[in-house]
Amino acid sequence: MIIIGEKINGAIPSVARAIKENDADFIQSLAKIQVDAGAHFIDVCASTDVNIEVKTLKWLIDLVQEVTDTPICIDSPRAQAIAEAIPFCKRPGLINSVSGEGDKIEVIFPTIADTKWECVALLCDDSGISKTAEQRLAVFAHIMKRAKEFDIAPSRLHIDPLVEMICTSEDGINMIVDVVKEIKAQYPELHVTGGLSNVSFNLPARRLVNQAFTVLMMNAGMDSGILDPTNQDLLGMIYSTEALLGRDEYCMEYIGAYRASLFGQKNR
């Protein structure tokens, strides 16, 4: 599983306070604990006013890069802000995100076309988030067509099928599972990602729902996730599921993660 560490996000009150107070030590501590927990990308999201967003992204990116070489995931709802922040990164990372909305593809795909940058792509467009698998797959087809135009290989894309709150769904995550299986059947080399905690909003004992959801989605083909890598219970579920699905030869990754105290130590 490709782990995208979610903890440096200005929408989180403690991070918003650190941004306001220029608390560099706090931001860098969040970066280090996520890297130590095995994150493959460090998501950086300012969640500030538009007029200071790029400046804030630069400050955050610079701080993270002072303490780790782990690639940055530039996270913003504004494609132009992402494009302006790319030069701040010392090495290619991950864009979060494009979709079928507005001019996002037109801004981002030409910018990363001849690079090694990877990109999250959301299955929504100007009509919003569709309720059927057919409609989401139509958005997917459009995104893949545009990616091909810019010679962006499927292996550089992380498709987010957009999981919504399970408590408002009539059929659980069955529709999302169908979408994931179909896109992986079409393009086995692309990645499937998403915010793993979105599914449990407004439910008690959210961690249990998140863990069950992770297992189901990994079985469907998810191999990338935006999550808290310091959550040992969730990380243990991910490593054990990969072993059970035959994606971890002789369980070496599972054993290595356990020995590195990434999960499970409290239950020894």
Side-chain angles (χ1 to χ4, degrees):
M1 173 75 87
I2 298 168
I3 298 172
I4 305 165
E6 68 180 6
K7 296 178 76 66
I8 302 179
N9 189 320
I12 301 171
S14 59
V15 178
R17 184 166 56 252
I19 292 172
K20 183 178 180 180
E21 297 175 356
N22 293 315
D23 189 345
D25 289 342
F26 181 79
I27 299 299
Q28 290 184 326
S29 69
L30 291 179
K32 287 187 286 188
I33 63 172
Q34 291 182 98
V35 171
D36 290 345
H40 300 95
F41 295 94
I42 300 297
D43 191 87
V44 171
C45 182
S47 292
T48 55
D49 292 337
V50 171
N51 61 333
I52 62 169
E53 183 182 15
V54 174
K55 179 181 178 181
T56 304
L57 281 172
K58 183 181 188 306
W59 181 71
L60 293 170
I61 290 169
D62 287 346
L63 289 176
V64 172
Q65 291 183 142
E66 285 178 7
V67 296
T68 180
D69 292 327
T70 301
I72 300 292
C73 173
I74 306 175
D75 189 346
S76 172
R78 295 197 310 121
Q80 190 57 45
I82 291 174
E84 292 179 29
I86 286 175
F88 306 146
C89 298
K90 296 178 180 178
R91 59 182 296 190
L94 180 65
I95 300 301
N96 189 11
S97 59
V98 300
S99 68
E101 296 175 303
D103 65 349
K104 291 184 177 182
I105 286 178
E106 303 298 336
V107 173
I108 296 299
F109 278 4
T111 303
I112 67 170
D114 297 320
T115 73
K116 294 183 179 180
W117 278 86
E118 299 179 30
C119 186
V120 174
L122 313 180
L123 297 189
C124 59
D125 56 20
D126 289 328
S127 64
I129 302 175
S130 61
K131 298 298 182 182
T132 69
E134 292 75 16
Q135 291 171 321
R136 296 196 192 193
L137 288 171
V139 176
F140 171 69
H142 171 70
I143 290 171
M144 297 309 294
K145 177 183 177 182
R146 300 308 312 278
K148 185 176 182 180
E149 292 174 6
F150 291 99
D151 198 26
I152 297 173
S155 60
R156 291 171 56 195
L157 297 175
H158 298 242
I159 303 298
D160 186 342
L162 292 174
V163 176
E164 299 176 90
M165 295 184 296
I166 193 70
C167 62
T168 62
S169 172
E170 294 181 358
D171 69 341
I173 64 167
N174 291 326
M175 184 268 284
I176 294 296
V177 167
D178 290 343
V179 169
V180 171
K181 287 182 175 180
E182 178 59 27
I183 65 178
K184 289 292 284 188
Q186 292 183 29
Y187 297 92
E189 66 271 38
L190 63 67
H191 304 290
V192 176
T193 195
L196 297 183
S197 62
N198 294 347
V199 70
S200 62
F201 283 146
N202 291 334
L203 288 178
R206 292 183 61 187
R207 63 182 182 84
L208 299 177
V209 179
N210 294 343
Q211 290 171 17
F213 169 69
T214 300
V215 172
L216 291 172
M217 290 299 289
M218 289 178 67
N219 188 51
M222 175 178 276
D223 62 349
S224 169
I226 303 168
L227 55 98
D228 177 2
T230 66
N231 182 333
Q232 287 200 341
D233 289 337
L234 181 58
L235 211 62
M237 194 68 70
I238 288 171
Y239 278 103
S240 57
T241 300
E242 286 189 328
L244 291 167
L245 290 174
R247 300 172 185 168
D248 179 6
E249 190 173 10
Y250 300 115
C251 301
M252 295 305 296
E253 294 294 331
Y254 177 90
I255 294 169
Y258 182 82
R259 288 176 174 171
S261 301
L262 298 186
F263 70 89
Q265 302 306 292
K266 63 184 179 182
N267 296 319
R268 275 187 168 180

